[in-house]
Amino acid sequence: MKKRRLFAVVKKEFCQIKRDKSLFPIVILAPIIQLFLFGYAVSLDIKEVPIVLLKEGNDRSSEEAILSLISSGYFIIKENVSSIKEFEKSILCGRTKAGVILRKGEINIVIDGSDSNTAALIEGYFEKVFGKKELFSLGLIVPQGKVLFNPNLKTVNFMVPGVTALVLMIITMVLSSGILVKEKERGTIEHIFVTPVSSGEVILGKLLPFMIIGFLDLFLVVSVGVFIFKVPFKGSVSFLIFATFPFILTMLSIGILVSITSKTQQQAIMTTFMIMLPNLILSGFMFPIDNMPLLMQKLTYLIPVRYYLTILRSIFLKGAGLRILLKEVIILFLFGFSFLFLSIRTFKKKLS
């Protein structure tokens, strides 16, 4: 009997989803649009950095340095100058982002530091090009190194797994936060109260269809990321599905808890976005957690998206499995079942 009651709630929810014409653009179009926006528009990569070159002398090492700059694909020698005054003017006026001074046995690098992020990336490009050669103007000796997991330092490889987590968070929370509050506004919530269905069956019955939608969006976003953006996927699909389940469960449970405690759809939407904002900022999606103040770093441990981001990026780029990501998966399961239990208990009080 319990299975039949649960199935009846699931069937009812699917019928409502089918009748809702506005759901298609939210479920299908919104994730694709977000992925393309972040994949193409939001890029930290710098291509073909314009540089100015001042060559003093014509020795073999200077020619090798110029050839290394050109063949790297990171730089374009926009200007060749013959004096230090012209060299400085080129960078000062913004025509070039960096400059190289070649003297016999020396490579001097000057970088426009007005944009610190861009300057750091350009510095990294110079280090990659010149290897162990001494960069005297920067005051460092570059060690010969190897970049693991993302050797070409492509931003899209970093962004697509993050957007996957972002899309699942937004879709699942927005959809689930309106499940019961719609029933309240339509006056149909009383129909649920008089049925023999338990609070747990109501919650599970309403969440299961949106769980399926969440997984459909997961496959949609991952497919676009892998086949269109060419993001490497080194991990296991089955482990991705397994690790995604507690995350979707967590987001859906939070959303339906908001729906239970809200009186109107407007209140539910506002509450949902208030919850999503710290998840976005403190998860490490855009801002490195290590760069945050110590108090903020500690608060990130309460953010479910933080753990799912770690899982996604590790699966995509490192091919990590359960042995490596066991802690993150367990924490997400704890989040998911805790919020699900809280939702059922809260709704049970409403029924009684």
Side-chain angles (χ1 to χ4, degrees):
M1 288 295 291
K2 289 183 178 180
K3 288 183 179 180
R4 290 181 61 185
R5 292 198 299 263
L6 179 61
F7 178 74
V9 177
V10 172
K11 185 178 179 180
K12 171 184 174 293
E13 202 61 36
F14 269 120
C15 290
Q16 288 185 333
I17 291 172
K18 187 178 179 181
R19 287 197 296 264
D20 192 348
K21 304 299 181 183
S22 64
L23 201 61
F24 175 79
I26 296 175
V27 173
I28 304 298
L29 298 181
I32 295 176
I33 292 171
Q34 288 181 61
L35 189 61
F36 274 86
L37 282 175
F38 280 98
Y40 284 121
V42 182
S43 178
L44 303 177
D45 298 332
I46 306 172
K47 299 177 181 178
E48 300 181 340
V49 179
I51 62 173
V52 57
L53 179 66
L54 172 59
K55 185 173 68 170
E56 298 178 354
N58 195 23
D59 57 286
R60 184 178 176 182
S61 61
S62 297
E63 295 300 326
E64 289 178 353
I66 294 171
L67 183 61
S68 297
L69 286 168
I70 295 172
S71 61
S72 69
Y74 296 128
F75 303 101
I76 290 180
I77 300 176
K78 191 173 182 180
E79 296 184 13
N80 279 281
V81 297
S82 55
S83 69
I84 194 68
K85 186 176 181 180
E86 292 176 290
F87 179 89
E88 291 174 348
K89 184 178 179 181
S90 176
I91 298 176
L92 186 64
C93 294
R95 296 194 300 269
T96 54
K97 294 290 184 183
V100 179
I101 302 174
L102 298 174
R103 297 188 178 96
K104 190 174 182 180
E106 293 184 6
I107 303 173
N108 299 307
I109 308 296
V110 178
I111 301 173
D112 181 356
S114 55
D115 184 336
S116 58
N117 292 328
T118 301
L121 287 170
I122 294 173
E123 181 181 336
Y125 292 159
F126 276 121
E127 292 177 12
K128 196 170 183 181
V129 169
F130 290 120
K132 285 185 176 180
K133 296 185 187 301
E134 295 183 25
L135 307 183
F136 291 99
S137 292
L138 296 176
L140 54 85
I141 298 176
V142 183
Q144 189 68 34
K146 182 180 180 181
V147 178
L148 299 176
F149 311 125
N150 188 13
N152 296 322
L153 301 176
K154 290 183 177 179
T155 303
V156 69
N157 292 349
F158 177 78
M159 293 298 293
V160 166
V163 174
T164 303
L166 181 67
V167 165
L168 288 182
M169 177 186 70
I170 294 174
I171 295 297
T172 52
M173 284 193 67
V174 168
L175 292 179
S176 60
S177 65
I179 293 176
L180 287 170
V181 77
K182 286 181 181 178
E183 304 266 10
K184 294 176 187 177
E185 290 189 340
R186 292 170 182 167
T188 56
I189 191 71
E190 286 79 10
H191 297 168
I192 298 176
F193 292 159
V194 298
T195 60
V197 183
S198 68
S199 57
E201 289 165 349
V202 172
I203 298 299
L204 289 175
K206 287 184 172 293
L207 288 188
L208 282 174
F210 293 103
M211 176 76 73
I212 295 171
I213 290 173
F215 277 108
L216 288 176
D217 277 331
L218 171 70
F219 293 128
L220 176 65
V221 174
V222 170
S223 298
V224 172
V226 171
F227 294 110
I228 296 181
F229 289 99
K230 307 299 181 184
V231 177
F233 186 88
K234 299 180 180 179
S236 164
V237 175
S238 58
F239 177 63
L240 174 64
I241 294 171
F242 172 74
T244 299
F245 170 75
F247 178 72
I248 294 179
L249 178 65
T250 301
M251 295 295 105
L252 286 174
S253 298
I254 293 173
I256 201 163
L257 183 61
V258 170
S259 187
I260 293 168
T261 55
S262 299
K263 295 181 179 179
T264 64
Q265 290 191 59
Q266 185 177 9
Q267 183 185 351
I269 291 171
M270 292 298 295
T271 306
T272 300
F273 277 98
M274 286 178 63
I275 295 172
M276 287 194 295
L277 191 59
N279 272 275
L280 175 62
I281 295 173
L282 299 177
S283 63
F285 171 65
M286 291 294 292
F287 312 108
I289 293 174
D290 292 339
N291 293 348
M292 298 177 186
L294 186 59
L295 177 60
M296 292 293 105
Q297 290 185 35
K298 291 182 178 179
L299 287 176
T300 62
Y301 290 107
L302 302 175
I303 303 298
V305 183
R306 171 194 170 135
Y307 303 99
Y308 189 57
L309 269 178
T310 301
I311 290 172
L312 281 177
R313 285 171 177 158
S314 298
I315 291 175
F316 267 87
L317 302 178
K318 302 178 183 179
L322 182 61
R323 185 174 62 86
I324 303 297
L325 298 168
L326 180 61
K327 182 185 75 173
E328 286 78 9
V329 172
I330 290 175
I331 291 172
L332 282 180
F333 268 108
L334 290 174
F335 271 123
F337 287 120
S338 297
F339 281 110
L340 179 63
F341 176 76
L342 187 59
S343 300
I344 293 173
R345 285 295 301 270
T346 305
F347 188 65
K348 189 176 182 178
K349 290 181 180 179
K350 297 280 183 179
L351 286 175
S352 56

